[in-house]
Amino acid sequence: MQEFSSDAPSKSGARPPTRFTYLLLLALYLAQGLPVGFVTQALPVILREQNASLVLIGWSGVLLMPWGLKFLWAPLQDRYYWPRIGLGRSWILPMQMISLVCMAGLAWLEPSLLRDPQVAVLFATLLMLLAFAGATQDVSTDGVAVRLLAAGERSMGNAIQVTGSRMGLILGGGGALLLLDMAPWRTVMLGMAALILLTTVPVWLLKEPAWRRARKEAGSALSGTASGGGSSGLPDRFLLQGETIEQAAMQASLQEPDDDAVASPPEQGLFTRIRHFLRSEFGYFLSSSELRAWIGVLLVYKLCDAFTSGMVKPMLVDMGYSKSQIGTMVVMLGSGASLLGALAGHAVLRRVSRAKALIGFNALQALTTGCYALIAMLFAGTVSASDGITAFDMLVYGINALEHFTAGMALVGVLTTVMDYCRHRNGGSDFTLQVSIMSTVSGVAHWLSGYAAEALGYQGYFSVGMVLGLLLLWPLVRWGRLQRQAHPA
């Protein structure tokens, strides 16, 4: 394998057409969304139908732990690769194959067999390995997105990213539930494996640019020591195609530490090397008050959504909705609402500041959570398919669609801002660290959700979630104020 390069393409490669890049990102984010959708959307329904407790369902979030820990190995993916295959493809292709094998393996483990401890352990192991492959693929995909998308393409690129991820969540979650009422388990799982194989085709077709091996040179340029940088201190040859000087100036003003400042310490102890590694790779995010405030935003941004979303499907099961009804709700309404939400988020980001957009998106998500408390309050009796679609069903479907719409907007907003704070030469690892912070908090919140739902009941649980979401808007307000001070218009 070869050490990483900077993000400037060499003469031996050129960026692929923008449309192909969009198609590539759509396929890859869809592929990684499939297992996440299965664990977060379909698995709670399957477990609840097998009479699992809400606490156990909450613990199922541990299966996605690799998504919170992926920042630990992300720097390696930004540095090492097979030159003949490409920086991103060297990691994406093997991870896609591992995902395919794991999904195919799950086809032979029927949910009715999960009462056997050995089968349950094997089932959980395959899901954990599937999550590891998806998280590792995500690191390199994020790096590809950071390197290939120009500044003016990022909001649309992230809208496509969110659309792909939500499609994967919907197909792996609601789609699986819908099909499981009509087809055998093995057929559904093998179908998902085939879909992963299909999404690998654009990766095989990608002719990835050859990135220059100029890490120290790039670091000097980014810290303003190279000549020819203009007002931003960045020479034009280190700007991505279409990058604006203003956007690059924001990154340069965040005081990225250069490589000489983090030279290897004389001590060679294990813990010393780990500490030095973390400081050299991620110390940038503590280098200014604005970045520290942004870390605070990442800690709370997805907390309300993660805390409440895991119990929506078990509540619907307890109300009497079948797998096909829940699947239809997620697939038919959720897919369209997510797409509209992602596009709406893209449109809003083009017209208002990042801070205003994120505050508005997060507030809408919190209020949507309150709508689920309304559903729990109005519910009486058991839902029966023989009654047809009732007014209550319409309310449930509408609120579910609203949840997907606001989630699409919120995700576009935060991922676009995450990309803004990425250094080009550390695109994959910077993006991954920020997303990992949100994933880790989400995992903890998902774990606690089962205990809270058991203790408070659905109505109290969703009401607490809404209040929590509104209170946690304060870190976003504080970050927005610091950002305006650091980058006045």
Side-chain angles (χ1 to χ4, degrees):
M1 297 185 77
Q2 180 166 312
E3 187 166 353
F4 176 93
S5 47
S6 87
D7 57 324
S10 70
K11 293 181 180 179
S12 62
R15 291 174 176 81
T18 301
R19 290 183 180 178
F20 179 83
T21 300
Y22 288 158
L23 175 63
L24 172 73
L25 296 179
L26 180 68
L28 289 176
Y29 285 115
L30 188 154
Q32 64 188 236
L34 284 172
V36 177
F38 180 78
V39 171
T40 61
Q41 304 289 328
L43 188 60
V45 175
I46 294 169
L47 292 177
R48 194 60 172 172
E49 286 193 337
Q50 298 294 324
N51 298 317
S53 68
L54 295 179
V55 172
L56 178 60
I57 293 172
W59 272 92
S60 67
V62 174
L63 295 172
L64 295 178
M65 185 170 58
W67 287 86
L69 299 177
K70 60 184 179 179
F71 73 94
L72 294 174
W73 57 85
L76 299 178
Q77 294 178 241
D78 264 348
R79 290 187 178 187
Y80 298 101
Y81 69 105
W82 283 275
R84 293 184 63 181
I85 300 177
L87 175 57
R89 295 171 78 246
S90 295
W91 294 93
I92 294 172
L93 288 172
M95 294 304 109
Q96 286 283 98
M97 294 301 102
I98 292 175
S99 297
L100 190 154
V101 171
C102 289
M103 191 64 75
L106 289 171
W108 272 260
L109 300 176
E110 298 275 348
S112 59
L113 302 176
L114 294 179
R115 291 183 176 87
D116 183 335
Q118 291 182 336
V119 175
V121 169
L122 179 59
F123 188 86
T125 301
L126 285 176
L127 286 177
M128 184 73 79
L129 183 58
L130 188 63
F132 171 79
T136 305
Q137 185 255 62
D138 181 60
V139 172
S140 291
T141 301
D142 291 339
V144 167
V146 169
R147 290 186 293 271
L148 294 186
L149 292 174
E153 299 167 349
R154 287 178 180 171
S155 60
M156 177 56 75
N158 278 291
I160 290 173
Q161 172 182 349
V162 170
T163 299
S165 298
R166 299 300 292 185
M167 287 174 61
L169 287 170
I170 290 163
L171 293 174
L177 290 174
L178 182 62
L179 292 174
L180 284 172
D181 261 359
M182 300 183 294
W185 168 269
R186 185 172 300 178
T187 301
V188 175
M189 292 297 103
L190 290 177
M192 293 175 63
L195 187 56
I196 292 176
L197 181 61
L198 182 63
T199 59
T200 308
V201 173
V203 189
W204 284 109
L205 297 177
L206 172 65
K207 295 181 179 179
E208 195 171 4
W211 307 97
R212 291 198 189 101
R213 297 190 302 277
R215 187 175 177 85
K216 288 189 177 181
E217 183 183 358
S220 299
L222 286 167
S223 61
T225 60
S227 60
S231 61
S232 70
L234 289 170
D236 291 342
R237 64 196 178 98
F238 287 109
L239 292 176
L240 288 175
Q241 183 180 8
E243 179 97 49
T244 63
I245 293 293
E246 178 184 5
Q247 178 64 37
M250 187 190 85
Q251 293 185 334
S253 69
L254 292 174
Q255 302 176 354
E256 176 186 1
D258 60 33
D259 292 334
D260 293 335
V262 290
S264 298
E267 301 89 354
Q268 294 298 319
L270 176 61
F271 291 107
T272 300
R273 283 182 288 174
I274 293 175
R275 184 172 64 251
H276 165 69
F277 169 77
L278 294 176
R279 184 168 66 93
S280 63
E281 291 295 335
F282 303 122
Y284 153 74
F285 287 100
L286 300 177
S287 62
S288 72
S289 57
E290 177 192 348
L291 279 166
R292 291 191 292 271
W294 174 243
I295 295 298
V297 171
L298 296 175
L299 287 170
V300 304
Y301 192 80
K302 295 288 290 180
L303 200 153
C304 173
D305 177 57
F307 180 69
T308 56
S309 62
M311 292 296 118
V312 172
K313 304 304 182 296
M315 180 180 73
L316 296 178
V317 172
D318 289 348
M319 288 180 174
Y321 286 99
S322 66
K323 288 196 292 288
S324 59
Q325 286 176 305
I326 297 173
T328 300
M329 191 185 309
V330 176
V331 173
M332 303 302 292
L333 297 177
S335 58
S338 294
L339 176 58
L340 291 175
L343 294 175
H346 164 65
V348 171
L349 288 168
R350 293 176 64 88
R351 290 168 174 78
V352 304
S353 68
R354 299 284 198 261
K356 289 181 180 178
L358 264 60
I359 291 171
F361 296 158
N362 227 26
L364 285 174
Q365 275 205 300
L367 294 174
T368 302
T369 298
C371 293
Y372 281 118
L374 177 64
I375 289 176
M377 182 181 68
L378 295 177
F379 175 70
T382 302
V383 173
S384 175
S386 62
D387 295 335
I389 299 180
T390 65
F392 182 77
D393 294 335
M394 295 295 292
L395 177 65
V396 173
Y397 289 5
I399 289 175
N400 181 262
L402 181 62
E403 176 206 356
H404 282 82
F405 181 84
T406 57
M409 287 198 302
L411 201 53
V412 166
V414 72
L415 292 181
T416 300
T417 312
V418 162
M419 190 172 287
D420 288 342
Y421 282 117
C422 290
R423 299 163 291 179
H424 290 154
R425 69 190 178 102
N426 294 72
S429 54
D430 283 356
F431 197 103
T432 296
L433 174 66
Q434 296 174 77
V435 174
S436 292
I437 291 172
M438 292 191 290
S439 298
T440 301
V441 173
S442 296
V444 174
H446 193 284
W447 165 60
L448 294 173
S449 65
Y451 293 98
E454 289 272 18
L456 301 173
Y458 290 124
Q459 183 179 341
Y461 165 74
F462 287 114
S463 298
V464 168
M466 179 185 68
V467 174
L468 179 66
L470 293 175
L471 290 175
L472 291 177
L473 291 176
W474 169 245
L476 280 79
V477 174
R478 178 175 177 272
W479 162 71
R481 184 172 66 246
L482 290 172
Q483 188 190 47
R484 287 193 300 272
Q485 293 173 357
H487 313 289

